[in-house]
Amino acid sequence: MKQELRGLPKGLAEIVGRHLAAAGMLIDSEPELALEHARYARSKAARVAVVREAAGLAAYHAGEWAEALSELRAARRMSHGTGHIAVMADCERALGRPERAIELAREAQVSQLSPDEAVELRIVAAGARRDMGQLDAAVVALQGDDLDAKRRDPWSARLFYAYADNLEAAGRTEEAVKWFLNAAQADDDNETDAAERAFDLSPQD
């Protein structure tokens, strides 16, 4: 970020940097306020890719899907990178365009994505399939070598949870319980309600 801001006059770079830092600190707790900071930074440095990226992510967290998509597209054009492709696909879903989300996933150069980005894109693509009523295809979209209950990758809990959720939607309740339990066991940070979902789906005496 500092490297990209060096192209700005020193005083302006400091102002933009402070607003970007504020956006980063607030994005989880106060996303609307984070977006205000990111928008201000964009108004001062719209030709800097990292500024447009930050504005896109802040807009995404604030639920401003169209704005997020526009900003992340701009950042991708400027940086020629993969550009948060999973977030962009999720924006397309939120805007009621699941077919475009699937298109983005197909076009993505998976080899250029980090493992966690690739998994996140699979999860979004599966959600898009589900949006279109393709429940079995949603389940299949999440299958792969990393869908292994013994794995403990940083994304395992999220992947297992998404798989369980789509199994439930497809009416495969018994399997869903199993994978919600797998997700709970992999979720060391208690970021999901996997255990509760498994309990709710299990037969009660």
Side-chain angles (χ1 to χ4, degrees), residues 9-177:
K10 185 177 179 181
L12 180 58
E14 289 178 355
I15 292 170
V16 170
R18 283 198 296 270
H19 281 279
L20 291 181
M25 290 172 61
L26 293 165
I27 197 164
D28 290 321
S29 59
E30 298 182 69
E32 291 80 10
L33 185 55
L35 180 54
E36 288 183 25
H37 282 286
R39 283 172 173 167
Y40 184 84
R42 182 191 60 199
S43 74
K44 298 297 182 183
R47 295 187 178 182
V48 179
V50 71
V51 173
R52 303 300 289 272
E53 179 183 0
L57 292 175
Y60 176 75
H61 280 267
E64 297 291 344
W65 317 118
E67 181 178 354
L69 195 55
S70 175
E71 294 301 322
L72 291 174
R73 279 175 178 160
R76 282 187 76 191
R77 286 195 300 271
M78 293 174 179
S79 66
H80 305 291
T82 53
H84 299 282
I85 190 72
V87 175
M88 293 175 65
D90 204 30
C91 288
E92 293 286 15
R93 278 190 68 202
L95 290 166
R97 302 189 296 239
E99 68 286 345
R100 292 193 187 182
I102 292 170
E103 204 173 303
L104 274 174
R106 282 177 178 159
E107 292 172 357
Q109 299 283 336
V110 177
S111 61
Q112 296 178 7
L113 300 177
S114 65
D116 59 325
E117 288 175 323
V119 167
E120 195 64 31
L121 185 57
R122 277 164 58 201
I123 291 172
V124 174
R129 291 286 183 193
R130 184 167 159 182
D131 293 342
M132 298 170 69
Q134 300 173 4
L135 303 182
D136 291 334
V139 170
V140 171
L142 291 169
Q143 293 172 352
D145 292 341
D146 50 1
L147 191 70
D148 180 342
K150 297 176 183 177
R151 293 279 290 263
R152 288 298 180 268
D153 298 312
W155 52 84
S156 291
R158 182 156 166 71
L159 176 61
F160 298 170
Y161 187 96
Y163 189 58
D165 192 45
N166 281 286
L167 283 168
E168 182 190 358
R172 295 161 62 175
T173 306
E174 189 173 334
E175 292 173 86
V177 170

